[in-house]
Every structure is written in structure tokens, then in C-alpha cells.
Amino acid sequence: MTGPPPAAILSRWAREQARLKGGVVREDTEEWQKEPSFAGLERVGGVDLSYIKGDDSRACASLVVLSYPGLEVLYEDCRMVAVSAPYVAGFLAFREVPFLVEAVQRLQQEEPSYSALLLTGFGVACHLGVLTDLPCIGVAKNLLQVDGLARDELHREQIRSLQREGDTFPLTGTSGSVLGMALRSCNSSKPLYISVGHRVCLETAVRLVQSCCRYRIPEPIRQADIRSREYIRKQMCSPVKVPSSGPEREEKAEVDD
DNA sequence: GCGACAG
DNA sequence: ATCTTGTCGC
């Protein structure tokens, strides 16, 4: 059951978030990051959680791995999870990251060579990156209004100034620090918001995300999104468990392919 | 106090 | 996140 966020939880999250930020590496650490076309990078992963409409506590967590630069899906892991933490803007990672860490661990167990780089949500990228020590990049479809960032007229004007694919402008907070970058990833007038996750600098992150875009949403995240939604759709059609009188017995519905 | 707020 | 069909355009 997902309840409102008690103040005690929020302050604990704030402390943990501050501690975790100390572990974030904001520079490039991989050899392929120095190459003009990222030569040497062979796999790019994406993660996502899709929720059931009326149910705040059940979701499908997905992790996909794509070839790079071909962007063909090589690996897919979808499974239902019981979400317990509430959604709080600015603290999304505490709700979603535990399931993503598990997915990464399964990946590393099954296909050790596949976990090269992950595209995740904006703030999720730092958490997941530090906890797994994998290179991560944050990608959001909408602007998180924090530290003075707002969808105001200035912001809309800056978006209009993004004329060509690859054009960017920095997201500078009131504190003066650059929190991320807005990127026109394709012909859509709506930009992507890119942030540093772990072990990738912002400039490299923007170039890399751009190179993963067939459409506005980078292919790894788009595939994770599509596949987790499809998994949920199938769940809705599977038989409902009816309470029985006899001894309880776990039955697993077969959901193959 | 009210509204705004990634997913 | 999710509720939702067609539709206009390249």
C-alpha cells in the first residue's frame, strides 16, 4: 500500500540523497567516451517502470539492452514488482531504483558483457549509477521544476531557439550550477532533458543520447517503455486469482514471449 | 495558505 | 505514470 510521505521519510531521503551525491562521478571514465563516434561502445541499456492505471502499488520494471550503434534489442527483462515507496517529485529514485538494481544484478549474472551503459530517468541515474557503479545518463521527457527551473516564458523561448537537431541549452539553477541540458533530439519541438548520472560528463551524455535517437525518445528507453507497457497489458488479460478454501498454493501464470 | 511538482 | 481516437503532416 502506498501512502502519503511522512516527514520522517522525506528527511531521511534528503539525507541519503545528499550522501549519495558524494559518490557521483561527473567525469568520463571510459575509453569509448573519448572516441568521436564512441568506438568501443557495444551495448546500451534502458530501464523503465510502467504502472497499472488504478493501482499505485503494482508496476512492471523493465531493463533492455541494445546493440550499439545498431540499436537492436539483444536482451529484455520484464517483471511485476510491488512498489511500496510513494511518488514524491524530486525523490523518484527512492521509489523505483530498488527494482532496477535487482534487474541490473540479474543482467550481470546472465549476460555479464551486456552492462556497458544505462539510460535512465533524470534523478534515477545518479542513484542507480552509484549503487551499481555502472556509467549512467539521466533522460527526462519533462522538466522537473526545482532550484528555480520552471516552464515559464523564458524557458519556452529557449525551447523555440532550438532550431536544429542536436541544439542544446543549459539548465542553470538559481544556485548557479548547471543541473542538466535541454536537447532537441529530433524534429519534435519538445526537447529532452539530459542530466549527468555517473561516470559520464554532461557533454558526452548529450552526444551519446543524441546518437541513440531514432525518434524523440532514445531507443533504449523507448524499448523499455514499450515492453513494460505491453507486459502490463498482458497481465490485465491473465486470469484473476480467486480466494479458495483449501490450503494456499502459489500458481504462476505462464507469460512467455 | 495554495499551487506546482521527473514517474 | 495513467485516462484516450482519430487525425494531420512529412
Side-chain angles (χ1 to χ4, degrees), chain A residues 2-121:
Chain A
T2 305
I9 300 287
L10 284 179
S11 66
R12 185 164 60 76
W13 282 358
R15 282 197 310 276
E16 284 194 31
Q17 199 165 63
R19 186 179 61 80
L20 193 137
K21 275 183 184 172
V24 171
V25 174
R26 302 178 64 89
E27 288 82 44
D28 287 344
T29 62
E30 314 300 303
E31 285 305 313
W32 54 260
Q33 291 162 339
K34 301 186 180 83
E35 301 293 329
S37 299
F38 302 117
L41 176 63
E42 296 185 332
R43 310 277 184 255
V44 185
V47 299
D48 189 55
L49 261 71
S50 288
Y51 294 85
I52 295 178
K53 54 179 176 183
D55 191 344
D56 209 19
S57 65
R58 300 190 69 217
C60 174
S62 66
L63 187 164
V64 299
V65 176
L66 280 60
S67 62
Y68 188 92
L71 302 179
E72 300 302 325
V73 176
L74 303 174
Y75 173 96
E76 169 183 354
D77 175 17
C78 289
R79 67 172 58 192
M80 296 304 298
V81 297
V83 180
S84 55
Y87 168 68
V88 181
F91 297 98
L92 178 64
F94 292 94
R95 178 170 162 88
E96 300 195 340
V97 155
F99 310 109
L100 302 178
V101 170
E102 289 178 3
V104 167
Q105 287 168 346
R106 285 193 296 273
L107 171 68
Q108 291 177 327
Q109 200 159 24
E110 292 165 32
E111 299 288 349
S113 65
Y114 277 9
S115 52
L117 166 71
L118 290 179
L119 303 188
T120 81

Side-chain angles (χ1 to χ4, degrees), chain A residues 180-209:
Chain A
M181 204 80 102
L183 165 70
R184 179 162 181 149
S185 62
C186 66
N187 286 323
S188 169
S189 60
K190 192 170 175 168
L192 290 178
Y193 299 95
I194 313 300
S195 68
V196 167
H198 188 54
R199 298 173 60 167
V200 185
C201 76
L202 188 53
E203 293 68 30
T204 301
V206 168
R207 280 203 303 131
L208 195 289
V209 168

Side-chain angles (χ1 to χ4, degrees), chain A residues 112-187:
Chain A
S113 65
Y114 277 9
S115 52
L117 166 71
L118 290 179
L119 303 188
T120 81
F122 207 97
V124 168
C126 288
H127 280 242
L128 191 57
V130 170
L131 293 180
T132 64
D133 202 32
L134 291 177
C136 286
I137 296 172
V139 181
K141 309 175 191 76
N142 293 290
L143 181 67
L144 173 60
Q145 311 197 171
V146 68
D147 192 21
L149 298 183
R151 298 168 181 166
D152 53 14
E153 184 48 42
L154 169 62
H155 185 69
R156 287 191 291 272
E157 172 53 36
Q158 288 176 307
I159 290 176
R160 281 192 293 272
S161 76
L162 303 177
Q163 295 293 320
R164 325 176 76 188
E165 244 178 73
D167 284 355
T168 63
F169 66 85
L171 304 169
T172 307
T174 306
S175 60
S177 55
V178 175
L179 303 174
M181 204 80 102
L183 165 70
R184 179 162 181 149
S185 62
C186 66
N187 286 323

Side-chain angles (χ1 to χ4, degrees), chain A residues 241-245 248:
Chain A
K241 198 156 125 187
V242 177
S244 63
S245 50
E248 290 304 320

